[in-house]
Amino acid sequence: MNNKIRVSWDEVFKFVSELKNFCSDKQFDCILAVARGGSIIGTLLSYQLNIPIRYVGISSYDGDKKTNELKFTQHAEIGDYKNILVVDDIIDSGDTINYIKNIIEFNSFDKRFTYATMYAVTDKQDMVGFKIAVKQQNEWIEFPWEI
């Protein structure tokens, strides 16, 4: 990566505040946070909105080896929730959101899903309903929980 962008905790808190404002009239009844970075953002937002949170883990790694296949590492029970906000820290390849759409959303006919992320790669930004920043493919985002 040519350019590293370090995200501060203040920027994370600002994002959560702006996401809370975005959610104010949406009546979400659950947050589905994508582990790991989405878990932190989702937890902060869950407290702000006072709504339940569920966590889903999705990985393309087998140990420390990257594979071409995504798999669930943690399943989320979304039960009777109907209006779900899916939160992740970044959308880079789009694979995680597509996996959620193809597996969870496809099998949840009576539910509505909205996707939010802090950063989105330029050509993937239309995949989410809310984002705070767009990044270029050659930029590496380093979140405060990764340090």
Side-chain angles (χ1 to χ4, degrees), residues 18-80:
E18 291 184 21
L19 183 52
K20 177 186 175 188
N21 291 338
F22 168 80
C23 295
S24 65
D25 64 344
K26 306 290 190 283
Q27 300 180 338
F28 293 113
D29 54 2
C30 180
I31 295 169
L32 180 61
V34 180
R36 297 183 311 188
S39 301
I40 295 163
I41 293 168
T43 299
L44 293 169
L45 186 64
S46 174
Y47 279 106
Q48 294 288 314
L49 297 175
N50 195 29
I51 60 174
I53 185 169
R54 301 294 181 259
Y55 303 93
V56 62
I58 300 169
S59 178
S60 61
Y61 286 85
D62 184 8
D64 61 354
K65 182 181 176 191
K66 182 150 176 59
T67 68
N68 291 326
E69 183 178 321
L70 288 171
K71 63 182 176 186
F72 282 106
T73 58
Q74 179 179 353
H75 295 271
E77 178 55 52
I78 52 176
D80 293 332

Side-chain angles (χ1 to χ4, degrees), residues 5 24 30-31 81 85 94 107 112 115 119 136 145:
I5 298 171
S24 65
C30 180
I31 295 169
Y81 299 116
L85 177 65
N107 292 303
R112 185 172 62 146
Y115 297 85
Y119 281 89
Q136 301 302 313
W145 48 85

Side-chain angles (χ1 to χ4, degrees), residues 89-105:
D89 55 354
I90 189 167
I91 177 172
D92 211 352
S93 67
D95 292 345
T96 301
I97 285 181
N98 280 330
Y99 193 72
I100 290 171
K101 285 182 177 183
N102 291 335
I103 304 296
I104 297 175
E105 188 174 342

Side-chain angles (χ1 to χ4, degrees), residues 114-146:
T114 302
Y115 297 85
T117 186
M118 192 165 175
Y119 281 89
V121 172
T122 304
D123 65 342
K124 304 296 182 193
Q125 62 183 318
D126 292 337
M127 296 180 79
V128 294
F130 182 85
K131 66 192 169 305
I132 197 143
V134 177
K135 78 175 206 72
Q136 301 302 313
Q137 192 65 47
N138 68 339
E139 294 175 318
W140 180 260
I141 307 297
E142 185 176 77
F143 292 96
W145 48 85
E146 296 176 320

